[in-house]
Amino acid sequence: MNNQDLAELNKIILDACRAIMEIYETEFSVELKEDESPLTKADLASHEIIVEGLGRLFPDVPILSEESTVPEYDERSTWSEYWLVDPLDGTKEFVNKNGEFTVNIALIENNYPIQGFVYVPKDKTLFFGGLNKGSFKLSHNNIKEIFAKSPTDKLKIVTSRSHLNETTRNFLSQFNDFDILQAGSSLKFCMIAEGLADLYPRLGPTSEWDTAAAQAVVEGAGGSVKDLSGVRLQYSKKEILNPHFIVRGKI
């Protein structure tokens, strides 16, 4: 991906985020999908802008978005490269108007995210990176490289603001002295990538589009995203749901 492609991709993301924020400032309605997760006009507006933009910019690369129909595995398994998109990650946070929602776009190659873009519309902040590429934070025209950190004396563990379950609480009971941080959407990954937290256990359901972009950012910053067997989280599976996983900073 050359600099011109990156500039065009950034414009697509900004257009989607503007559409999201226009709706955010209104009294929008909320529907429920089949899995009872919330859906708003912002999810759909962002989806349409991103899918149209990526299709125009990269016409030969398939696109899988949370708000699109998921093709059968027989078709998806033939994709050596594709875009994986969550047009509005953290819809519950969007509905609650706490600002903790993101736009996630990942480029998947041979079953792993090689480049990820996580944009925070409320803060106008972009996290981007990938394994062996480094990771960066762009905010208010200032760009800096970010690095996951090794744990210090007191562990900082980040958990979901909306999905903290009993399984996660039981996992946390193994640690004696730690600070709990909470955040919505893929911001939890970005906190690891930026060195603000050491550990993020996700012991509840997520889908591939929830994690791919942020995984690339974490890995570019020197952290890891692995299942409970210690295997790097993989994509393009027959089942679109992820296994439980743990995000760690630098070991």
Side-chain angles (χ1 to χ4, degrees):
M1 194 182 304
N2 58 40
N3 288 338
Q4 181 63 35
D5 288 340
L6 287 172
E8 289 294 327
L9 180 55
N10 189 53
K11 184 178 182 302
I12 292 167
I13 295 171
L14 290 176
D15 287 345
C17 290
R18 274 191 287 270
I20 287 171
M21 292 308 297
E22 285 177 5
I23 296 168
Y24 184 73
E25 301 298 339
T26 68
E27 294 299 322
F28 53 84
S29 60
V30 181
E31 301 176 17
L32 291 179
K33 296 192 278 190
E34 288 185 7
D35 62 359
E36 297 191 350
S37 61
L39 177 69
T40 71
K41 288 182 179 179
D43 298 80
L44 299 176
S46 177
H47 162 78
E48 290 174 3
I49 290 168
I50 292 170
V51 169
E52 188 280 329
L54 289 177
R56 174 171 34 82
L57 193 58
F58 306 98
D60 298 324
V61 181
I63 305 165
L64 176 58
S65 166
E66 178 179 8
E67 306 310 335
S68 61
T69 301
V70 178
E72 294 293 332
Y73 179 68
D74 286 348
E75 178 183 344
R76 290 189 288 115
S77 64
T78 67
W79 297 350
S80 60
E81 181 181 57
Y82 66 99
W83 292 102
L84 184 56
V85 177
D86 191 339
L88 179 52
D89 182 32
T91 303
K92 286 186 178 179
E93 317 307 332
F94 179 86
V95 170
N96 292 332
K97 294 200 172 185
N98 64 21
E100 294 182 349
F101 50 90
T102 58
V103 173
N104 302 337
I105 300 177
L107 182 61
I108 308 295
E109 190 173 280
N110 298 323
N111 305 333
Y112 293 98
I114 64 166
Q115 188 81 51
F117 303 85
V118 177
Y119 195 94
V120 191
K122 189 71 166 57
D123 296 341
K124 298 181 179 179
T125 298
L126 174 67
F127 295 89
F128 63 98
L131 186 64
N132 301 320
K133 294 181 174 70
S135 286
F136 303 86
K137 179 181 181 180
L138 174 62
S139 182
H140 305 292
N141 294 321
N142 292 319
I143 187 168
K144 68 173 183 178
E145 190 167 6
I146 57 175
F147 301 93
K149 294 181 180 177
S150 300
T152 55
D153 293 340
K154 195 172 188 180
L155 203 62
K156 293 182 177 64
I157 303 176
V158 61
T159 64
S160 173
R161 189 174 298 284
S162 299
H163 303 281
L164 180 56
N165 57 22
E166 193 61 33
T167 305
T168 305
R169 290 189 180 93
N170 290 337
F171 174 85
L172 295 177
S173 67
Q174 69 183 286
F175 302 103
N176 294 321
D177 188 23
F178 59 93
D179 288 329
I180 282 284
L181 309 172
Q182 287 190 309
S185 70
S186 55
L187 284 171
K188 298 179 287 294
F189 287 77
C190 295
M191 292 172 69
I192 300 286
E194 202 174 357
L196 302 178
D198 305 306
L199 192 70
Y200 164 38
R202 184 55 187 243
L203 307 180
T206 59
S207 296
E208 291 189 354
W209 43 67
D210 294 314
T211 58
Q215 177 174 341
V217 173
V218 167
E219 292 176 341
S224 66
V225 182
K226 297 180 178 180
D227 67 20
L228 301 188
S229 300
V231 176
R232 184 186 179 200
L233 207 62
Q234 184 175 343
Y235 296 80
S236 314
K237 307 183 305 298
K238 186 172 185 178
E239 174 59 67
I240 208 77
L241 290 176
N242 291 318
H244 293 175
F245 61 85
I246 297 177
V247 186
R248 290 183 171 87
K250 192 173 181 180
I251 304 297

